[in-house]
Amino acid sequence: MSNLSSKPYQIGYALTPKKEQTFIVPSLLSHASQNGVVLTKIDPTKPLIQQGPFDCILHKLYDSDWKQNLQDFASRNPNIPIIASPESIDILRNRISMLETVSKLKINNTGVPKQITITEVTGLENLKLNFPLIAKPLDADGSETSHKLHLIFDKDGLNNLTAPFVLQEFVNHGGVVFKVYVAGKYFRCVKRKSLPDISEEKLVNLKGSLPFSQASNLAAAGGGEGCKFEKTEMPPESLVKELVEGLKEELRLNLFNFDVIRDGKNKENYLVIDINYFPGYAKMPDFESVITDFLRDVVHKDINCGDN
């Protein structure tokens, strides 16, 4: 708890309207205020140096004008933390560089699915990947287009895709994905239902491609194997912690989440399939206190925010 007789910390935030609506909610504003943290909206079209004063900047904007605005502010205020540096965020906006960070960690029993980048839709005969595949737009910028993923069952399913995109081997994982939320010193792993397993026998009867938005119909159509969600064990906490600490250091980020699946062919192995900067924390239990504590830690310099 803060000493409320002292001056509250001023946290300036710059978010998209959608992000602001889901994150800057009354319960967060109230809890933060009661604990000496005031969240103040930034006008990204105006110079940051004319706004504030701020003890910390929290943002999730990507355009070049905003990056220049941040750079100008940081050059004049080198001791004020910025969550997070655009350079670190950009690593997660590309689906190849995103997962390359996992491979650099070299943590036992962890890895990423086999994947390649397709820059033009020609010469796809010798992919050296095994079907089924997942096709993902190369850019993971949070736009509606970036969320348009497809399951690809055969070569015909590649015909209507728009380059550039990433092709990733689909790994059977029991129909369960583990989501790990990270906010500074805090992390939490939860499980969610995912795409059902696809056996080689069932794959013979699956043709073309299927948007992820329709993939929930896969099991009903006889293409997927059932999910034993309630009986699925969580990953070892020691392994999750090792991934969290490794990714924090490699990415120089403190506010992100990542998705992990258990390899259906080897239950000891876990694969990271996605990493997101500043995800939907409001879905997480007690997120108000987690975020408030995180922001206080950042201002206190108890957390290293990369270059700041």
Side-chain angles (χ1 to χ4, degrees):
M1 294 290 289
S2 67
N3 179 2
L4 297 185
S5 63
S6 62
K7 187 178 178 182
Y9 299 130
Q10 302 291 331
I11 310 297
Y13 67 86
L15 307 172
T16 62
K18 183 179 178 181
K19 188 66 180 177
E20 183 178 341
Q21 184 179 12
T22 58
F23 183 76
I24 305 296
V25 293
S27 60
L28 175 61
L29 294 174
S30 174
H31 183 87
S33 177
Q34 291 171 24
N35 288 274
V37 174
V38 175
L39 290 149
T40 303
K41 185 174 182 177
I42 289 169
D43 183 346
T45 66
K46 297 179 180 178
L48 271 169
I49 54 177
Q50 296 177 10
Q51 303 180 66
F54 301 117
D55 296 298
C56 173
I57 303 292
L58 175 68
H59 75 102
K60 193 175 184 180
L61 298 176
Y62 305 122
D63 65 85
S64 56
D65 288 343
W66 170 250
K67 288 181 180 180
Q68 186 61 53
N69 199 349
L70 267 182
Q71 187 175 327
D72 293 342
F73 178 84
S75 65
R76 297 197 186 192
N77 301 277
N79 294 321
I80 295 180
I82 294 175
I83 311 169
S85 78
E87 293 76 19
S88 293
I89 296 171
D90 283 346
I91 294 172
L92 299 187
R93 298 185 68 213
N94 177 292
R95 285 196 164 95
I96 293 296
S97 61
M98 172 197 295
L99 295 189
E100 283 177 346
T101 60
V102 180
S103 302
K104 292 177 183 177
L105 300 181
K106 295 181 170 52
I107 297 174
N108 289 339
N109 302 117
T110 66
V112 299
K114 188 176 180 182
Q115 63 178 20
I116 58 172
T117 305
I118 304 297
T119 55
E120 52 185 63
V121 193
T122 56
L124 298 181
E125 293 79 18
N126 300 304
L127 289 174
K128 297 183 181 178
L129 295 175
N130 296 316
F131 290 101
L133 302 172
I134 300 175
K136 306 178 178 183
L138 180 61
D139 293 331
D141 56 9
S143 65
E144 187 175 338
T145 303
S146 72
H147 292 298
K148 290 186 176 179
L149 279 59
H150 291 78
L151 262 176
I152 310 296
F153 302 117
D154 54 27
K155 289 181 180 178
D156 289 341
L158 299 168
N159 292 338
N160 298 318
L161 298 176
T162 303
F165 58 88
V166 172
L167 285 178
Q168 186 181 87
E169 286 190 355
F170 177 81
V171 177
N172 284 332
H173 54 282
V176 177
V177 62
F178 304 101
K179 289 185 169 289
V180 182
Y181 292 88
V182 182
K185 299 173 183 177
Y186 173 94
F187 71 89
R188 180 182 177 90
C189 181
V190 298
K191 60 182 177 180
R192 298 281 185 266
K193 289 186 178 179
S194 178
L195 296 177
D197 288 351
I198 303 172
S199 66
E200 292 184 13
E201 294 78 18
K202 297 288 176 60
L203 182 60
V204 175
N205 298 317
L206 295 168
K207 305 296 181 185
S209 65
L210 185 69
F212 265 39
S213 59
Q214 299 175 24
S216 58
N217 301 329
L218 191 61
E225 302 297 317
C227 162
K228 298 177 181 178
F229 181 78
E230 299 301 333
K231 295 181 179 179
T232 300
E233 292 184 6
M234 301 292 282
E237 186 172 357
S238 58
L239 184 138
V240 174
K241 184 176 182 180
E242 195 172 1
L243 275 171
V244 168
E245 295 302 326
L247 287 172
K248 280 167 58 176
E249 184 174 350
E250 186 67 37
L251 292 167
R252 292 180 301 142
L253 290 174
N254 283 283
L255 204 64
F256 63 95
N257 80 339
F258 57 95
D259 293 349
V260 185
I261 58 174
R262 182 183 284 115
D263 189 342
K265 291 182 179 179
N266 185 340
K267 304 293 186 183
E268 299 296 316
N269 286 344
Y270 293 85
L271 303 174
V272 177
I273 57 172
D274 198 21
I275 312 175
N276 301 286
Y277 167 66
F278 201 160
Y281 287 100
K283 302 172 185 175
M284 195 175 66
D286 201 28
F287 101 98
E288 297 89 349
S289 63
V290 170
I291 295 300
T292 300
D293 290 348
F294 165 68
L295 293 172
R296 289 176 57 82
D297 284 344
V298 169
V299 175
H300 287 159
K301 304 293 194 294
D302 291 336
I303 291 175
N304 181 9
C305 284
D307 297 331
N308 297 100

